[in-house]
């Protein structure tokens, strides 16, 4: 059975007029004319079949039926207003769940999160580490970091970085008995692999290198692991330039060669299309893109990357 509801705009106008006992003040609150208020009240009276107001001298009074009706609906309007304020506040503040791989969380987001917290102290960021994105945002995730080509359907995906894979190793490895004067010296060292051997294979192919056994060396499931292995002098890794930058800056790792492998994949900040430009999701998304862009510009200025 369909609900029997009065014209909702007329009801809103009546509530304001009854609260002020004035058509003039109701009109001012609602940004309409006094005639428009009178018209809406008349429409509501015709729908209900009763008189809601009566005029006495220069004052406006509620009829008995009008008074009873106002008392019944005024709390409803208060509840609607409170609920609306709560939703709007939640869209600007509150918890924000970020889904991303442990490597990107540890190497990139966590070290920079203090900057976001300082700018947006009312947004409570929650980190959800996942081994692999599924190309589909779950209901409990507001923003995700995906790795790939950026062609996920039904979501907003913005590229964070141009990705280059660079060879890195412990500085102690350079002091060992096996030199690293050129790419040919790679055949004398253990290669560390991130997820699979394909990246080192592509690197060797692009550099026209032969005699290097890329089918040897440990494989790690996360970039953080292969970076740690390189820092402990276990071999030479080919890793994401962005993820490894903190360890290069700190001197824990060095880049023995200038050659890089430009990847077709990249990291993307991903969110629901409808939420991309709204509230806290937009705030966090804009911060990430701005942070990434400024760091990318520095790398380009330093000549570490090329478009």
């Amino acid at each position: 059975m369909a609900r029997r509801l009065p014209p909702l705009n007329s009801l809103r106008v009546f509530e304001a007029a009854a609260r002020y006992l004035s058509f003039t003040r109701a009109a001012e609150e609602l940004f309409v004319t006094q005639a428009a208020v009178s018209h809406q009240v008349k429409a509501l009276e015709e729908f209900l079949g009763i008189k809601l107001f009566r005029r006495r001298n220069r004052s406006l009074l509620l009829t008995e039926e009008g008074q009873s009706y106002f008392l019944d609906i005024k709390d409803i309007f208060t509840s609607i207003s409170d609920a609306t304020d709560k939703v709007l506040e939640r869209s600007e503040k509150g918890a924000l769940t970020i889904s991303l791989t442990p490597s990107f969380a540890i190497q990139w987001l966590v070290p920079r999160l203090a900057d976001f917290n300082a700018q947006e102290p009312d947004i409570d960021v929650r980190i959800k580490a996942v081994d692999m994105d599924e190309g589909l945002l779950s209901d409990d995730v507001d923003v995700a970091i995906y790795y790939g080509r950026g062609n996920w359907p039904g979501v907003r995906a913005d590229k964070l970085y141009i990705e280059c894979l660079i060879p890195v190793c412990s500085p102690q490895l350079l002091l060992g008995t096996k030199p690293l004067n050129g790419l040919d010296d790679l055949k004398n060292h253990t290669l560390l692999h991130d997820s699979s051997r394909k990246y080192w294979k592509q690197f060797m192919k692009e550099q026209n290198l032969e005699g290097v056994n890329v089918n040897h060396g440990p494989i790690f499931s996360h970039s953080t692991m292969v970076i740690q292995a390189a820092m402990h002098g276990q071999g030479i890794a080919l890793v994401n330039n962005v993820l490894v930058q903190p360890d290069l800056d700190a001197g824990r790792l060095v880049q023995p060669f200038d050659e890089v492998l430009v990847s077709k994949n990249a990291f993307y900040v991903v969110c629901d299309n409808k939420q991309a430009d709204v509230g806290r999701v937009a705030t966090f998304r804009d911060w990430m893109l701005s942070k990434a862009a400024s760091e990318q510009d520095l790398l380009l200025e330093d000549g570490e990357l090329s478009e």
Side-chain angles (χ1 to χ4, degrees):
M1 181 179 177
R3 293 180 178 179
R4 190 181 181 190
L5 296 175
L8 296 183
N9 191 43
S10 296
L11 195 64
R12 177 168 174 256
V13 171
F14 164 70
E15 188 275 337
R19 183 161 26 92
Y20 289 118
L21 288 178
S22 168
F23 283 8
T24 300
R25 293 188 64 185
E28 292 173 353
E29 177 181 300
L30 300 173
F31 299 101
V32 297
T33 64
Q34 184 176 343
V37 171
S38 179
H39 174 76
Q40 292 294 334
V41 169
K42 183 178 180 181
L44 182 60
E45 289 177 332
E46 290 176 352
F47 177 86
L48 298 172
I50 60 173
K51 294 292 292 183
L52 296 170
F53 293 97
R54 67 172 182 268
R55 293 187 179 276
R56 178 175 294 176
N57 297 327
R58 294 186 176 181
S59 63
L60 184 69
L61 301 176
L62 285 163
T63 64
E64 184 177 344
E65 292 86 353
Q67 178 71 19
S68 176
Y69 195 45
F70 172 65
L71 292 176
D72 285 338
I73 69 167
K74 69 181 183 71
D75 290 339
I76 296 173
F77 275 89
T78 299
S79 297
I80 292 174
S81 177
D82 291 344
T84 302
D85 289 342
K86 188 182 297 183
V87 168
L88 292 175
E89 182 178 358
R90 190 179 301 150
S91 71
E92 296 294 337
K93 302 177 182 178
L96 183 77
T97 301
I98 315 299
S99 172
L100 69 172
T101 62
S103 295
F104 197 88
I106 294 169
Q107 297 294 121
W108 194 90
L109 181 58
V110 172
R112 293 161 176 78
L113 203 53
D115 176 68
F116 179 78
N117 291 335
Q119 293 183 37
E120 304 292 339
D122 293 324
I123 298 179
D124 182 17
V125 175
R126 300 177 182 179
I127 306 299
K128 179 181 180 181
V130 294
D131 286 337
M132 184 180 298
D133 68 77
E134 298 178 353
L136 182 66
L137 289 175
S138 58
D139 292 339
D140 62 339
V141 171
D142 299 298
V143 179
I145 306 302
Y146 287 177
Y147 178 77
R149 304 289 178 89
N151 53 353
W152 301 281
V155 295
R156 174 80 166 269
D158 295 282
K159 184 185 291 187
L160 285 173
Y161 287 102
I162 300 169
E163 184 193 42
C164 292
L165 301 176
I166 61 175
V168 297
C169 65
S170 166
Q172 296 301 315
L173 207 63
L174 300 180
L175 303 177
T177 57
K178 298 178 181 179
L180 270 172
N181 299 321
L183 291 177
D184 287 336
D185 293 328
L186 286 172
K187 63 178 178 289
N188 300 318
H189 292 269
T190 299
L191 301 184
L192 307 176
H193 303 274
D194 187 349
S195 300
S196 74
R197 305 188 192 281
K198 67 179 182 180
Y199 298 115
W200 268 120
K201 289 181 178 179
Q202 291 175 11
F203 182 86
M204 299 303 172
K205 183 178 180 180
E206 288 193 7
Q207 300 302 323
N208 295 315
L209 280 175
E210 297 180 356
V212 180
N213 185 6
V214 295
N215 293 314
H216 178 66
I219 299 175
F220 300 88
S221 61
H222 293 294
S223 298
T224 303
M225 294 180 184
V226 76
I227 290 172
Q228 285 290 318
M231 283 195 291
H232 286 286
Q234 295 176 17
I236 302 172
L238 189 66
V239 293
N240 180 286
N241 65 302
V242 173
L243 297 187
V244 80
Q245 194 62 46
D247 299 303
L248 291 173
D249 292 341
R252 293 184 290 267
L253 289 171
V254 293
Q255 184 178 350
F257 313 115
D258 293 333
E259 287 79 5
V260 300
L261 175 65
V262 179
S263 173
K264 294 180 180 180
N265 293 325
F267 286 104
Y268 290 79
V269 56
V270 176
C271 59
D272 186 274
N273 275 313
K274 297 178 182 178
Q275 299 297 320
D277 301 309
V278 179
R280 63 188 187 279
V281 171
T283 300
F284 186 80
R285 172 180 164 275
D286 291 345
W287 172 79
M288 284 203 74
L289 292 173
S290 175
K291 199 76 172 173
S294 62
E295 293 177 3
Q296 189 85 81
D297 289 343
L298 288 175
L299 291 175
L300 289 170
E301 287 176 5
D302 292 339
E304 295 184 30
L305 297 176
S306 59
E307 293 284 3

